[in-house]
Amino acid sequence: MSKTAFPIRPEILDFEEYSPGLSIEDIRRRFGLDRIIKMASNENPLGVSPLALEAMRRHAAFAFRYPRGCAPDLCAALAAYHRLPENCFVPGNGSDEIVDLLLRVCPSPGRHNVVACRSSFSMYRIASRLCGVEFRAVPRRDDFAFDYGMLLEAVDENTALVFIASPDNPSGFCPPWEDLAALARALPSSCLLVLDEAYADFCGDIAAHSLLPRFGEFGNLVVLRTFSKAFGLAGIRLGYGVMPERLADALRSAHMPFSISILAEAAGIAALGDRDFYERTLSVVSEGRSFLTETLAGMGCTCFPSLANFLMFKPPAGRGTAVEIFEGLLARGLIIRSLKSYGLPEHLRVSVGMPEENSLFINALRELIACFSPQPARSA
Ligand SMILES: Cc1ncc(COP(=O)(O)O)c(C=O)c1O
């Protein structure tokens, strides 16, 4: 075949793509197992909200129609839910789409840069790279807390966006709102703080951690939220950004016209109204997280305090590497997350599951750690 010289941008040729958690189907095929438990992608352990499911059924017959642009009914429902002006909301095909839009709308390639913490959610780096925008990864403290001094040192007059996930993925770290407010105020007014609150619902006290209730106090704040976690709609792809109106107008004008489907809009509105499902989700996650934290620590793992629906941990020293533990769990039908792609090869992340799933995970891990126990020296 002749070599055609079609162009591909150089930054795409050695692109480090997003690495998702392994799927149930992949592992079923690889190991020929009947039962697979997935605790890898921080999905909702309860499944889909019954009200959202019902709304999707009702709207399925309209799937032959194009949706309305930018999901106006959803924006109205979100405005009522958060008590904020409707024009500040931009819905996306997952909050990933809002990250991508911010990168395409705000920084100019070759001039502006983007700042985030090292080993944070990889989409910030990936979307920056895809847009040809310089990405600056700032070291964090050993306990995975954000180093605000280092973040501010990395910011200069050409920094367009600072991304912070709070609670952070993968560490679960979640500072008080006062620290985030101080960061927003310390940034130049030309630099946006993009606060990714994908996991904020799980933090126990939203008023103590989120900047969304205080959104009006800041002129340079964007808050991202998603329906993929506490609202159980990861597969339908729905998220949103809350931002100053002028920026929201700019994002809406750059938005793909139909990226929110009719089913996604209907499901999102119904999920917002399903208080029972939401409360049950928070209680299953809070109880499961306490159980996993205490049990992992009791088994000698180093467990990082988390206010999200997952936990980051390191297996006990000398009892198998993180890779061995990860592979051993896979072979037993348990998918958790290796953090190699986050640059943390010694760490693992497990999503909180239903009580039975949490126990099966702990039992399998206990068995594995016992297999890797140091053997007593034999006498000659
Ligand atoms: C911190 C963080 N932000 C955003 C997302 C993406 O959310 P969505 O499914 O809405 O695109 C994730 C997904 O895991 C995440 O961990």
Side-chain angles (χ1 to χ4, degrees), residues 82-371:
H82 290 294
R83 300 202 182 100
L84 286 169
E86 210 171 310
N87 287 349
C88 296
F89 289 85
V90 181
N93 190 276
S95 51
D96 283 347
E97 189 184 21
I98 308 297
V99 171
D100 176 59
L101 275 171
L102 286 167
L103 258 311
R104 285 192 291 132
V105 166
C106 296
S108 297
R111 174 171 166 220
H112 289 117
N113 63 72
V114 165
V115 169
C117 293
R118 193 178 284 168
S119 309
S120 196
F121 183 50
S122 56
M123 278 309 293
Y124 316 142
R125 173 181 47 77
I126 290 171
S128 303
R129 186 90 199 272
L130 203 47
C131 290
V133 173
E134 182 197 350
F135 179 75
R136 298 180 177 175
V138 175
R140 45 167 89 214
R141 293 188 359 202
D142 289 346
D143 61 357
F144 281 83
F146 308 138
D147 188 326
Y148 301 103
M150 294 279 261
L151 279 165
L152 288 171
E153 258 177 51
V155 170
D156 61 23
E157 69 282 7
N158 291 320
T159 306
L161 305 163
V162 173
F163 280 96
I164 293 283
S166 179
D168 176 53
N169 177 11
S171 70
F173 172 72
C174 184
W177 72 268
E178 289 91 339
D179 292 3
L180 300 166
L183 175 63
R185 294 201 171 100
L187 293 173
S189 59
S190 57
C191 173
L192 288 162
L193 173 62
V194 184
L195 191 55
D196 184 345
E197 295 193 349
Y199 301 99
D201 301 275
F202 303 111
C203 75
D205 182 354
I206 292 209
H209 295 278
S210 168
L211 285 192
L212 198 50
R214 299 169 183 87
F215 177 74
E217 295 170 30
F218 304 89
N220 63 339
L221 177 66
V222 177
V223 179
L224 306 182
R225 291 280 182 100
T226 180
F227 283 89
S228 298
K229 313 295 175 182
F231 293 93
L233 291 172
I236 208 81
R237 310 304 301 128
L238 189 62
Y240 55 99
V242 192
M243 61 197 80
E245 284 185 29
R246 193 170 75 86
L247 179 61
D249 287 345
L251 258 73
R252 272 192 290 268
S253 62
H255 208 281
M256 284 291 166
F258 306 116
S259 70
I260 316 295
S261 74
I262 284 181
L263 296 189
E265 183 174 19
I269 294 169
L272 281 179
D274 196 342
R275 291 310 294 177
D276 173 59
F277 178 81
Y278 180 80
E279 297 299 340
R280 279 191 293 127
T281 297
L282 300 198
S283 119
V284 163
V285 166
S286 160
E287 282 164 30
R289 188 172 63 199
S290 303
F291 166 76
L292 288 174
T293 309
E294 282 158 31
T295 317
L296 286 171
M299 289 161 70
C301 297
T302 309
C303 217
F304 294 79
S306 167
L307 288 187
N309 64 340
F310 54 81
L311 280 175
M312 185 172 82
F313 68 98
K314 268 166 97 170
R319 302 293 180 93
T321 63
V323 175
E324 286 168 330
I325 299 282
F326 172 72
E327 292 289 340
L329 288 170
L330 278 188
R332 288 165 169 76
L334 271 145
I335 314 176
I336 64 164
R337 190 75 151 90
S338 150
L339 295 180
K340 242 187 341 190
S341 66
Y342 284 77
L344 301 169
E346 295 175 356
H347 296 68
L348 295 165
R349 192 190 71 197
V350 61
S351 309
V352 177
M354 292 301 278
E356 191 203 357
E357 296 173 321
N358 297 335
S359 298
L360 287 168
F361 158 70
I362 289 291
N363 293 343
L365 181 64
R366 219 189 282 283
E367 231 179 80
L368 269 168
I369 287 177
C371 292

